[in-house]
Amino acid sequence: MAKKRTKSKTKKTTDAPKKVSFKLSKQNKIIFGSLLIVLSIALFFSFMSFYFTWQEDQSMLSQFADRNAQASNLLNKFGANVSHFFMYKGFGLASFVFPFLLAITGLYLFLGLELKGLISKWIWGLVGVIWGSIALGFFAADFPLLGGLVGYEMNDFLQDYTGKIGVFLILIFILMVILVRLFNFTPEGFANFFRRQKRQITSELKGDEISNPSMDSSMEDDENQIPLTTEDTIPEKIDTYTHKKDIPPLDEAGLDVNIPEEEESDIDLKVETTPVEEEEETDAKAAKLVEDFGEFDPKLELGNYKFPQLDLLDAHGASSGITINQEELEENKNRIVSTLKNYKIGIAQIKATIGPTVTLYEIVPEAGIRISKIKNLEDDIALSLAALGIRIIAPIPGKGTVGIEVPNKNATVVSMRSVIASNKFQKAEMELPIAFGKTISNETFVVDLAKMPHLLMAGATGQGKSVGLNAVITSLLYKKHPAEVKFIFVDPKKVELTLYNKIERHFLAKLPDSDEAIITDNTKVINTLNSLCIEMDNRYELLKTAMVRNIKEYNAKFKARKLNPNDGHKFLPYIVLVIDEFADLIMTAGKEVETPIARLAQLARAIGIHLIIATQRPSVNVITGIIKANFPARIAFRVTSKIDSRTILDAQGADQLIGRGDMLYTQGNDVTRLQCAFVDTPEVAKITDYIGSQRAYPEAHLLPEYVGEESGTSLDNDIEDRDAMFREAAEVIVTAQQGSASLIQRKLKLGYNRAGRIIDQLEAAGIVGPFEGSKARQVLVPDIYSLEQLLENEAK
């Protein structure tokens, strides 16, 4: 019985069908790909030569085996025969598609790419060959070589059944199929193309050329608006917009919903349905504008801007990669095992992960060993290994192991070039991606500044803070357009951030009356921070009127042309405030600096203002509780004491780093050890030179004007020097009972500087109260009648 069972089993296995899998190795793919590329080049030259030598080579076609016979084709008898087959007996000029398809297939194999899209390329290529051959045979029937024998015979066959008109209609139909499936052809797109061309020609004939936006944007707000009529979209309406070659977003305030007289009795129904109709009409018009003219592009003013090239960064020897010293690994492993053995701690397993500067040894202790016992042996292990910066992680989060970080004898420099060139950074789907460096497992570490949302950097002098700041700024310069992000640099040292002066008109923001964008004077820092608070309040007001929650939703709505610039709406770039030495500011300014920074840290996340603060003295009077609570993302370079490490990270470890860019990063949960990417001063200079040599905005991005508390006390109340819009502004302020320059700016469509001057004049006239920081001024006049009495008494 046992024998019978074994026989039946063997029979079943032999009868089972075998799966035949054909898979080329990498070497064979390279060889086969090279063969196809060479073959495609040979076919191309033989086809080209055919039209010049086909008459001379006719007699050679039957003498292929004769070695003495020579053909005039560039590829001799092989070229003459192959080209005769494809060009004369085949598809004519359309045969040139075959070398192209062979070359693409060869490149796919040679480069090791996925072959998924090749089948569709070959199918559509063959469709194009057949269509081209028939079309050439139809339109060039007197020249059979153009369409080949296939095109000639197919035309002859089709014309016997459908006639010439039928063949023409078939060709048109196949062409339409190719255009729709391959090029996404639509009648709307075709009509929009001709509509744009017609509009451009008519505007050129009328001479209404739009002036250069770089010249217009330097003028006052009410002077740089260029009228563009949109008669085809919003009848009897003229909108203004400040962008070159662009159409204004939808004017929501200008929609008039007319209610017929016979519906006035049905009040409840009218109130419920009107907003829905208006919203639907608004969305429909916005969709029509987007369909006709596309979404608003904030990059259009600097449309030719080129991002910095990778060649501007140096490799710093990183191309060779991490060198593995097997002897060092074995020696460290034996010393760790023997040291733990001396204290009767057994190890079940040990594994090493090699990083640029530190190697992580993961050990699995034997059952019954207390983790705290290993943690207390930190100094003993450091003594046995004779190494500085031993750090024990007991246990490693997410793993059942204990980690011992040991510095490498020969550290590898992590270059900024290798980090920027990594796929993780290049393909990062983040608002503000920052590449800090590499982890212990040699992976590029990329985070999003927009989600941090603020960053605190601390460490002793010379441990890499300035290089870390340059790495952060370089990451954003390589990833973001000047229209998308603006920097505010505060540099009390006056030497660290001065290199970025060259990109002032591209990426920097400053106060209207300041000469230099990079702030080195502490008094100007206070004004800048308070100006940022005003900018924050203004942005929140824009978000409120746009009915969105954050800057991402606001900009998306603005790009979709659902917000009107005439109501004060504009594209909002991200603003990154970088302070290089925060401790010096606290010593000199104290609360005047800490209060606006605390306000910005608490509120500025949603409107795209992010803070990066660096300090070399991480004491509790510098990094206060308010600042720590609002800076969850922190970076600690090497510090001198455990107290400083706890001040920054709320944990130990920063005092055990080895310096030179070795750092710990936390975002409120785990602590990650990184080697900061190194970017040298000459590299930063090359990047800023490259960006600064390109076309820029007329001036740096201007922040709102901030007037200190002492201003307004000695204002002259001269009626003759008052602004022409003084009375209208006073009526607006008294009616709204809100004394702010932004209100005058929105209601009267004035620039911020002019609105600020009017506010000062209103204060001098006793209509509004004195300046109260970021709050609106108190309105001292209760109603319009009192205002009229006040102005009449002044006139007397």
Side-chain angles (χ1 to χ4, degrees), residues 215-485:
M215 298 293 293
D216 292 341
S217 58
S218 63
M219 302 178 184
E220 287 289 327
D221 293 346
D222 50 356
E223 292 178 357
N224 67 355
Q225 296 180 342
I226 305 166
L228 296 176
T229 58
T230 54
E231 297 173 359
D232 53 338
T233 55
I234 304 176
E236 300 177 2
K237 179 84 182 160
I238 297 179
D239 285 330
T240 58
Y241 211 59
T242 60
H243 212 296
K244 179 183 178 182
K245 296 182 181 177
D246 226 330
I247 306 300
L250 185 61
D251 185 1
E252 293 179 349
L255 289 175
D256 296 323
V257 182
N258 297 319
I259 303 172
E261 292 181 359
E262 57 269 21
E263 293 182 5
E264 287 182 0
S265 59
D266 194 3
I267 297 173
D268 294 334
L269 179 63
K270 187 169 56 179
V271 172
E272 291 176 0
T273 57
T274 299
V276 178
E277 290 175 359
E278 183 176 351
E279 185 178 349
E280 290 177 355
E281 187 177 355
T282 301
D283 292 341
K285 288 192 175 183
K288 183 70 168 61
L289 282 171
V290 171
E291 182 182 349
D292 290 345
F293 308 106
E295 288 191 344
F296 169 75
D297 186 8
K299 305 176 186 177
L300 195 61
E301 191 168 344
L302 295 185
N304 295 325
Y305 173 79
K306 294 181 180 178
F307 288 86
Q309 299 173 354
L310 204 61
D311 298 337
L312 300 172
L313 296 170
D314 299 330
H316 293 297
S319 58
S320 58
I322 294 176
T323 56
I324 300 174
N325 191 338
Q326 199 65 38
E327 293 180 3
E328 181 184 348
L329 291 175
E330 195 67 26
E331 185 180 347
N332 287 340
K333 183 201 80 170
N334 294 333
R335 287 183 177 178
I336 291 171
V337 172
S338 62
T339 303
L340 295 176
K341 207 172 196 180
N342 293 336
Y343 293 92
K344 298 179 181 180
I345 297 175
I347 296 176
Q349 185 182 350
I350 186 167
K351 183 180 76 171
T353 304
I354 305 169
T357 55
V358 176
T359 299
L360 174 66
Y361 294 88
E362 294 183 54
I363 61 174
V364 179
E366 291 180 348
I369 302 296
R370 298 181 66 179
I371 298 297
S372 59
K373 194 174 181 182
I374 301 175
K375 181 71 175 172
N376 294 332
L377 295 175
E378 199 166 44
D379 296 333
D380 299 288
I381 295 172
L383 179 64
S384 67
L385 294 173
L388 175 69
I390 299 293
R391 180 168 168 263
I392 293 181
I393 311 169
I396 297 177
K399 295 183 179 180
T401 59
V402 176
I404 302 176
E405 294 175 348
V406 182
N408 299 333
K409 290 181 180 178
N410 298 317
T412 304
V413 177
V414 176
S415 66
M416 195 69 201
R417 175 170 181 159
S418 64
V419 173
I420 295 291
S422 64
N423 285 331
K424 196 168 184 180
F425 179 76
Q426 293 292 336
K427 297 179 180 178
E429 297 292 333
M430 300 177 181
E431 294 296 315
L432 297 173
I434 294 174
F436 279 123
K438 293 193 176 181
T439 62
I440 288 179
S441 57
N442 204 35
E443 294 179 359
T444 303
F445 190 78
V446 183
V447 290
D448 190 359
L449 178 61
K451 292 183 179 178
M452 286 185 186
H454 311 294
L455 176 64
L456 177 65
M457 301 174 67
T461 304
Q463 303 304 318
K465 290 191 310 301
S466 297
V467 174
L469 284 177
N470 285 331
V472 170
I473 298 167
T474 302
S475 300
L476 295 175
L477 292 180
Y478 265 87
K479 200 71 174 176
K480 307 306 288 184
H481 190 274
E484 297 174 314
V485 65

Side-chain angles (χ1 to χ4, degrees), residues 485-497:
V485 65
K486 301 295 178 184
F487 293 97
I488 300 173
F489 291 134
V490 178
D491 184 16
K493 296 180 186 176
K494 304 181 181 180
V495 293
E496 293 291 347
L497 301 173

Side-chain angles (χ1 to χ4, degrees), residues 629-640:
N630 294 290
F631 282 77
R634 300 172 205 163
I635 287 177
F637 292 91
R638 188 169 183 262
V639 293
T640 54

Side-chain angles (χ1 to χ4, degrees), residues 588-659:
T588 55
K591 288 288 182 182
E592 291 181 286
V593 167
E594 187 179 349
T595 302
I597 281 185
R599 281 203 73 219
L600 290 169
Q602 290 167 359
L603 299 173
R605 173 182 183 174
I607 43 85
I609 298 177
H610 303 281
L611 280 61
I612 300 174
I613 292 177
T615 181
Q616 56 180 259
R617 189 162 60 88
S619 54
V620 289
N621 62 336
V622 174
I623 304 175
T624 60
I626 295 176
I627 290 176
K628 285 182 68 175
N630 294 290
F631 282 77
R634 300 172 205 163
I635 287 177
F637 292 91
R638 188 169 183 262
V639 293
T640 54
S641 68
K642 293 181 179 179
I643 297 173
D644 289 344
S645 177
R646 288 195 189 98
T647 305
I648 309 166
L649 301 173
D650 296 327
Q652 295 184 23
D655 55 313
Q656 297 165 324
L657 300 175
I658 60 175

Side-chain angles (χ1 to χ4, degrees), residues 33-53:
S34 304
L35 175 64
L36 291 179
I37 293 172
V38 171
L39 182 60
S40 67
I41 296 171
L43 287 178
F44 178 79
F45 282 108
S46 63
F47 290 175
M48 288 286 292
S49 180
F50 172 79
Y51 284 98
F52 300 97
T53 62

